Coordinates of all heavy atoms in Angstrom, one line a residue:
Chain A
R28 N 116.2 128.9 114.3 CA 116.7 127.7 114.9 C 116.9 126.6 113.9 O 117.9 125.9 113.8 CB 115.6 127.2 115.9 CG 116.0 125.9 116.6 CD 114.8 125.5 117.4 NE 114.8 124.1 117.5 CZ 115.7 123.4 118.2 NH1 116.5 124.0 119.1 NH2 115.7 122.1 118.2
Chain B
W47 N 117.5 123.7 122.7 CA 116.3 123.6 123.6 C 115.3 124.7 123.3 O 114.2 124.7 124.0 CB 116.6 123.6 125.1 CG 117.7 122.7 125.5 CD1 118.8 123.0 126.2 CD2 117.7 121.2 125.4 NE1 119.5 121.8 126.4 CE2 118.9 120.7 125.9 CE3 116.8 120.3 124.8 CZ2 119.2 119.4 126.0 CZ3 117.1 119.0 124.8 CH2 118.3 118.5 125.4
Q48 N 115.5 125.6 122.3 CA 114.5 126.6 122.0 C 113.5 126.0 121.1 O 113.8 125.2 120.2 CB 115.2 127.7 121.2 CG 116.4 128.4 122.0 CD 115.9 129.6 122.8 OE1 115.3 130.4 122.2 NE2 116.2 129.6 124.0
N49 N 112.2 126.5 121.2 CA 111.3 126.2 120.2 C 111.3 127.3 119.1 O 112.0 128.3 119.3 CB 109.9 126.0 120.8 CG 109.3 127.2 121.5 OD1 109.6 128.3 121.1 ND2 108.6 127.0 122.6
Chain C
F45 N 117.7 114.4 111.3 CA 116.6 115.1 111.9 C 116.4 116.5 111.3 O 115.5 117.2 111.7 CB 116.8 115.2 113.4 CG 116.8 113.8 114.0 CD1 118.0 113.3 114.6 CD2 115.7 113.0 114.1 CE1 118.0 112.0 115.1 CE2 115.7 111.8 114.7 CZ 116.9 111.3 115.2
Q48 N 113.0 118.2 110.4 CA 111.9 117.5 111.0 C 111.3 118.2 112.1 O 112.0 118.9 112.9 CB 112.5 116.2 111.5 CG 113.3 115.3 110.6 CD 112.4 114.3 110.0 OE1 111.8 113.5 110.7 NE2 112.3 114.3 108.6
N49 N 110.0 118.0 112.3 CA 109.5 118.5 113.6 C 109.5 117.4 114.6 O 110.0 116.3 114.3 CB 108.0 119.1 113.4 CG 107.1 118.0 112.9 OD1 107.2 116.8 113.2 ND2 106.2 118.4 112.0
A50 N 109.1 117.7 115.8 CA 109.2 116.7 116.9 C 108.5 115.4 116.6 O 109.1 114.3 116.8 CB 108.6 117.3 118.2
A51 N 107.3 115.5 116.1 CA 106.6 114.2 115.8 C 107.3 113.4 114.7 O 107.4 112.2 114.8 CB 105.1 114.6 115.4
Q52 N 107.7 114.1 113.6 CA 108.4 113.4 112.6 C 109.7 112.8 113.1 O 110.1 111.7 112.7 CB 108.8 114.4 111.4 CG 107.6 114.8 110.6 CD 107.9 116.0 109.7 OE1 108.7 116.9 110.0 NE2 107.4 116.0 108.5
S53 N 110.4 113.4 114.0 CA 111.6 112.9 114.6 C 111.3 111.6 115.4 O 112.2 110.7 115.4 CB 112.4 113.9 115.4 OG 112.0 113.9 116.7
E54 N 110.2 111.5 116.0 CA 109.8 110.3 116.7 C 109.6 109.1 115.7 O 110.1 108.0 116.0 CB 108.5 110.5 117.5 CG 108.5 111.6 118.6 CD 109.2 111.2 119.9 OE1 109.8 110.1 119.9 OE2 109.2 112.1 120.8
S55 N 108.9 109.4 114.6 CA 108.7 108.3 113.6 C 110.0 107.9 113.0 O 110.3 106.7 112.7 CB 107.7 108.6 112.5 OG 107.1 109.9 112.7
V57 N 112.9 107.8 114.3 CA 113.6 106.9 115.2 C 113.1 105.4 115.0 O 113.9 104.5 114.9 CB 113.4 107.3 116.7 CG1 113.9 106.2 117.6 CG2 114.2 108.6 116.9
Chain D
R16 N 116.5 114.1 134.9 CA 115.6 114.7 133.9 C 114.1 114.6 134.4 O 113.4 115.6 134.3 CB 115.7 113.9 132.6 CG 114.7 114.3 131.5 CD 114.6 113.2 130.5 NE 113.9 112.0 131.1 CZ 113.9 110.8 130.5 NH1 114.6 110.6 129.4 NH2 113.3 109.8 131.1
W21 N 111.6 117.2 132.2 CA 112.2 117.7 131.0 C 112.0 116.8 129.8 O 112.4 117.1 128.7 CB 113.7 117.9 131.2 CG 114.1 119.1 131.9 CD1 113.2 120.2 132.3 CD2 115.4 119.5 132.3 NE1 113.9 121.2 132.9 CE2 115.3 120.8 132.9 CE3 116.6 118.9 132.3 CZ2 116.4 121.5 133.5 CZ3 117.7 119.6 132.8 CH2 117.6 120.9 133.4
L22 N 111.4 115.6 130.0 CA 111.2 114.7 128.8 C 110.5 115.3 127.7 O 110.7 115.1 126.5 CB 110.5 113.4 129.3 CG 110.4 112.3 128.2 CD1 111.8 111.9 127.6 CD2 109.8 111.0 128.8
Q23 N 109.5 116.2 128.1 CA 108.7 116.9 127.1 C 109.6 117.7 126.1 O 109.2 118.0 124.9 CB 107.7 117.9 127.7 CG 108.4 118.9 128.6 CD 107.5 119.8 129.4 OE1 106.6 120.4 128.8 NE2 107.7 120.0 130.7
F24 N 110.8 118.1 126.5 CA 111.7 118.9 125.6 C 112.7 118.0 124.9 O 113.4 118.4 124.0 CB 112.5 119.9 126.4 CG 111.6 120.8 127.2 CD1 111.8 120.9 128.6 CD2 110.6 121.6 126.6 CE1 111.0 121.7 129.3 CE2 109.9 122.5 127.4 CZ 110.0 122.5 128.7
H25 N 112.7 116.7 125.2 CA 113.8 115.8 124.8 C 113.4 114.9 123.7 O 113.8 113.7 123.8 CB 114.4 115.0 126.0 CG 115.1 115.9 127.0 ND1 116.0 115.4 127.9 CD2 115.2 117.3 127.1 CE1 116.5 116.4 128.6 NE2 116.1 117.6 128.1
N26 N 112.7 115.3 122.7 CA 112.5 114.4 121.6 C 113.8 114.2 120.8 O 114.7 114.9 121.0 CB 111.4 115.0 120.7 CG 111.8 116.2 120.0 OD1 112.7 116.2 119.2 ND2 111.2 117.4 120.3
P27 N 113.8 113.1 120.0 CA 115.1 112.7 119.4 C 115.8 113.8 118.7 O 117.0 113.9 118.8 CB 114.7 111.6 118.4 CG 113.4 111.1 118.9 CD 112.7 112.2 119.6
R28 N 115.0 114.6 118.0 CA 115.6 115.7 117.3 C 116.4 116.7 118.2 O 117.5 117.1 117.9 CB 114.5 116.4 116.5 CG 114.9 117.6 115.8 CD 113.7 118.3 115.3 NE 114.0 119.7 115.2 CZ 114.7 120.2 114.2 NH1 115.1 119.5 113.2 NH2 115.0 121.5 114.2
E29 N 115.7 117.1 119.3 CA 116.4 118.0 120.2 C 117.6 117.4 120.8 O 118.6 118.1 121.1 CB 115.4 118.4 121.4 CG 114.1 118.9 121.0 CD 114.2 120.1 120.0 OE1 114.8 121.1 120.4 OE2 113.7 120.0 118.9
M30 N 117.6 116.1 121.1 CA 118.7 115.5 121.6 C 119.9 115.5 120.7 O 121.0 115.8 121.0 CB 118.4 114.0 122.0 CG 117.3 113.9 123.1 SD 117.6 114.8 124.6 CE 118.9 113.8 125.4
A31 N 119.6 115.2 119.4 CA 120.6 115.3 118.3 C 121.2 116.7 118.2 O 122.4 116.9 118.0 CB 120.1 114.8 117.0
V32 N 120.3 117.7 118.3 CA 120.8 119.1 118.2 C 121.7 119.4 119.4 O 122.8 120.0 119.2 CB 119.6 120.1 118.2 CG1 120.0 121.5 118.4 CG2 118.8 119.9 116.9
A33 N 121.3 119.0 120.6 CA 122.1 119.3 121.8 C 123.5 118.6 121.7 O 124.5 119.1 122.1 CB 121.3 118.9 123.0
I34 N 123.5 117.3 121.2 CA 124.7 116.6 121.1 C 125.6 117.3 120.1 O 126.8 117.5 120.4 CB 124.4 115.1 120.7 CG1 123.8 114.3 121.8 CG2 125.7 114.4 120.2 CD1 123.3 113.0 121.4
L74 N 124.0 113.3 127.3 CA 122.9 113.4 126.2 C 122.8 112.1 125.5 O 121.7 111.7 125.1 CB 123.3 114.6 125.3 CG 123.2 116.0 125.9 CD1 124.0 117.0 125.1 CD2 121.7 116.4 126.0
E77 N 121.1 109.4 127.5 CA 119.7 109.6 127.6 C 119.0 109.4 126.2 O 118.0 108.7 126.2 CB 119.3 111.0 128.1 CG 117.8 111.1 128.3 CD 117.3 112.5 128.4 OE1 118.0 113.4 128.9 OE2 116.1 112.7 128.0
M78 N 119.6 109.8 125.2 CA 119.0 109.7 123.9 C 118.9 108.2 123.5 O 117.8 107.8 123.0 CB 119.8 110.4 122.8 CG 119.2 110.3 121.4 SD 120.1 111.2 120.1 CE 119.0 110.9 118.7
N81 N 115.9 106.9 125.5 CA 114.7 107.4 124.9 C 114.3 106.6 123.6 O 113.1 106.4 123.3 CB 114.7 108.9 124.6 CG 115.0 109.7 125.8 OD1 114.9 109.2 126.9 ND2 115.2 111.0 125.6
C82 N 115.3 106.3 122.8 CA 115.1 105.6 121.5 C 115.1 104.1 121.7 O 115.1 103.4 120.7 CB 116.2 106.0 120.5 SG 116.2 107.8 120.1

Side-chain angles (χ1 to χ4, degrees):
Chain A
R28 180 186 148 78
Chain B
W47 309 123
Q48 303 267 306
N49 60 35
Chain C
F45 300 107
Q48 303 266 306
N49 59 36
Q52 287 169 321
S53 89
E54 301 281 5
S55 357
V57 169
Chain D
R16 174 200 68 197
W21 281 353
L22 184 54
Q23 60 183 310
F24 307 119
H25 288 196
N26 65 66
R28 179 187 150 77
E29 304 307 300
M30 298 305 284
V32 168
I34 288 170
L74 292 161
E77 188 197 327
M78 184 177 180
N81 297 352
C82 296

